[in-house]
Amino acid sequence: MADSCRTDPSMSSEEEEAEPRRARAMKLLAKALHRPRTAQQADELSQATAAREELAFLSSLLQLSSREEIAESVRDRISVLSVRTGDSVVHVAPQLRSAPTSSSAALSQETAKSVAPQFDLRKCLEKMRDGDFECVEPGALTPEFWQALLPDMAAIDSHALPGNSPPGEPDASQFTMAKTALLSKGYCVIPPSLPCVDEGNHQDHASDIRLHRLQQGARQLLKLGWPPLFIFMFDAAWELLDGIWAPIRTLLGEDCELDPSAFCWIARHEDMSAESGDECDGDAQAGLNFGMPHRDFTCLDSIGPDGSPRLLSIWVPLTHVTTENGCMMVVPRSLDSHFSKRWAYAHMRPALPGAEDGVTELRFDLQAARPIAPLSPGSIVAWNGNLIHWGTRCSSPEVTPRVSFGFNFLRAGCRLQSGAPPLTQASARILTVPERLAIISRSLLAYSPWFDLTHSIASLRSLCNVKVET
């Protein structure tokens, strides 16, 4: 049987051998779901079109699957197809889950069932992402709503956000070392531009006070049932971002831009997982660390022909980071055999959930993994979008989990597949409350395949009015 994928010389032998088995399985699944797809029909399609057809089919299948192992396999195939179609982020409807294994997880599921028929969370987020705020309670579009939620945070005044990059930029030698490390290892660390003080020290440094307020605010949001990402409704988060543009320009060029997305993570520990019923990362509450080794983007998205970065993932800890409180782990590009192999089976699948709970199947050399620790609050960690990385959890409940922000910066002229226009430093300084809400909604949707948003459904429901009910 002819198969256009098998004629691709860049396809790995592993995927080439698996392709016939996958094709037979897909044919049986299509027949079972009354979605006929003959070999002749498949051959008439271009490879990219066939991949998009399969994406649509698998997305439908994912919604019907109640077996976790099937759902995970479908998600894995979707991640590979996203590379073929050029999509850097694949939006997939959340899969149905098998029966929960703890009373708290059962309660979470029952709560979601009782709310879901009246409230379409995804529809609400999609509307806000697209700038349609008719579904939003008017009060939630005012600074007063958010100041009442977190009274300890500074005032919100998006029309007067100062351009106050912190003084004391790192010297030229630090930037030179950072650029060299990025090219050789695929990641680099730029130390904070101001000397760090311990959290218990009340030395009057505006930057340290801002970091402390931000991490405290993120923790409070999590306690209140909100994704910590909503810290970006407050000026302090955007002031922190404003201060890192100068270092990023040295890596990506003067005209670099910001993808209109952001995220905030808080490392989890065992007690947090038990309380929320998180048996795997797919069930994790939005904002807890994502512990599955992965790449954010393909090598085509991330690096140019000369090896220079086209986009960078930026990670900024708001707290001290050690190997005990949730550091990042990375695999240097020089030790990653699939770093530049876009079509390799393992390129966008460096790790997969194993058949047994708590087991992860790896397709990279674990001995090559390196911790990025220790780090001071306000450090800037930058890596190529195709670098393998993951966040670790805390070693014990006694350890205070780290809090961190994440961004994606683009070289001028580069775009992600989302199609959303990037932000300049000037435009990021004048974002209105609705515009910040749109960015947060876009970010939650982008990460939703990997986190369970039902943990936050009650808080997000308070944003919306009856016009998003089904």
Side-chain angles (χ1 to χ4, degrees), residues 280-340:
C280 65
D281 284 312
D283 288 321
Q285 183 173 352
L288 300 183
N289 65 282
F290 184 55
M292 181 65 67
H294 63 284
R295 306 180 202 269
D296 292 332
F297 304 97
T298 71
C299 60
L300 185 64
D301 293 318
S302 306
I303 55 178
D306 61 350
S308 62
R310 292 168 53 85
L311 69 82
L312 291 176
S313 296
I314 305 300
W315 193 76
V316 181
L318 310 182
T319 59
H320 290 276
V321 177
T322 70
T323 55
E324 302 295 317
N325 74 338
C327 71
M328 292 297 299
M329 298 291 295
V330 298
V331 177
R333 64 180 294 176
S334 58
L335 301 177
D336 178 4
S337 60
H338 294 110
F339 183 82
S340 300

Side-chain angles (χ1 to χ4, degrees), residues 24-37 57:
R24 287 194 296 272
M26 290 301 300
K27 186 176 180 180
L28 290 173
L29 286 171
K31 183 177 180 180
L33 292 174
H34 308 289
R35 291 284 300 275
R37 170 67 67 189
F57 172 49

Side-chain angles (χ1 to χ4, degrees), residues 319-401:
T319 59
H320 290 276
V321 177
T322 70
T323 55
E324 302 295 317
N325 74 338
C327 71
M328 292 297 299
M329 298 291 295
V330 298
V331 177
R333 64 180 294 176
S334 58
L335 301 177
D336 178 4
S337 60
H338 294 110
F339 183 82
S340 300
K341 297 179 180 178
R342 181 191 179 208
W343 292 108
Y345 181 79
H347 183 64
M348 292 303 288
R349 296 161 55 127
L352 298 173
E356 302 177 14
D357 289 342
V359 175
T360 301
E361 297 178 2
L362 303 180
R363 289 182 170 84
F364 63 90
D365 184 4
L366 185 59
Q367 298 178 90
R370 303 288 188 269
I372 305 183
L375 292 173
S376 297
S379 299
I380 300 171
V381 184
W383 60 75
N384 292 117
N386 58 321
L387 188 81
I388 296 176
H389 64 283
W390 66 97
T392 60
R393 64 174 57 183
C394 296
S395 60
S396 71
E398 289 72 33
V399 175
T400 301

